[in-house]
Amino acid sequence: QMATWNRYGRWLYSVGQKNTIIRYITRWTRDSKSQLPQHMIIHPEVTEALSSHKPLVALETTIITHGMPYPDNIKTALSVEDVVRRNGVVPATIGIINGSIHIGLTRSEIEYL
């Protein structure tokens, strides 16, 4: 399990606990004076959803990277995001790319994984 520092100097266990990350980011967006750790990258769509209190769902990337064969994994991930969007919710797919935690992935990032 991977752990990261939060802004209070406490450990935040991230992998496998996506809702913990979303709660942490929600607190961060309310307190704009603090800076997000360098290794956390939030997609602008997710930031917008958090700041305007839009519904948001955290999706994990295990099925993309470990669960399904290519290209079914990509199709499934994009299909799930599409279903989420059609229901008025912003998807926040969470993955680790080059050592950084990405909250909200682009299509090319999903394909990269």
Side-chain angles (χ1 to χ4, degrees):
Q1 197 173 41
M2 181 180 165
T4 59
W5 290 105
N6 70 15
R7 67 178 179 188
Y8 302 109
R10 297 187 193 115
W11 284 103
L12 170 71
Y13 291 94
S14 56
V15 175
Q17 297 182 7
K18 308 303 184 215
N19 289 334
T20 301
I21 292 173
I22 296 300
R23 281 193 300 272
Y24 169 71
I25 294 167
T26 302
R27 282 193 303 258
W28 170 78
T29 55
R30 281 185 270 173
D31 182 14
S32 60
K33 295 176 194 148
S34 63
Q35 289 189 355
L36 199 62
Q38 289 179 359
H39 58 275
M40 243 184 214
I41 300 167
I42 305 176
H43 191 280
E45 183 182 22
V46 173
T47 302
E48 158 64 26
L50 288 167
S51 62
S52 62
H53 305 287
K54 292 180 183 173
L56 182 74
V57 65
L59 302 170
E60 62 182 26
T61 53
T62 305
I63 196 164
I64 303 169
T65 58
H66 297 49
M68 299 180 79
Y70 177 83
D72 296 334
N73 58 350
I74 304 299
K75 291 177 187 174
T76 301
L78 296 174
S79 175
V80 169
E81 282 196 349
D82 186 49
V83 169
V84 168
R85 282 193 173 90
R86 282 191 314 232
N87 284 283
V89 180
V90 175
T93 303
I94 299 173
I96 299 174
I97 300 174
N98 296 325
S100 294
I101 300 170
H102 289 248
I103 298 103
L105 299 178
T106 64
R107 181 186 179 103
S108 63
E109 289 170 333
I110 288 172
E111 291 172 352
Y112 173 80
L113 291 173

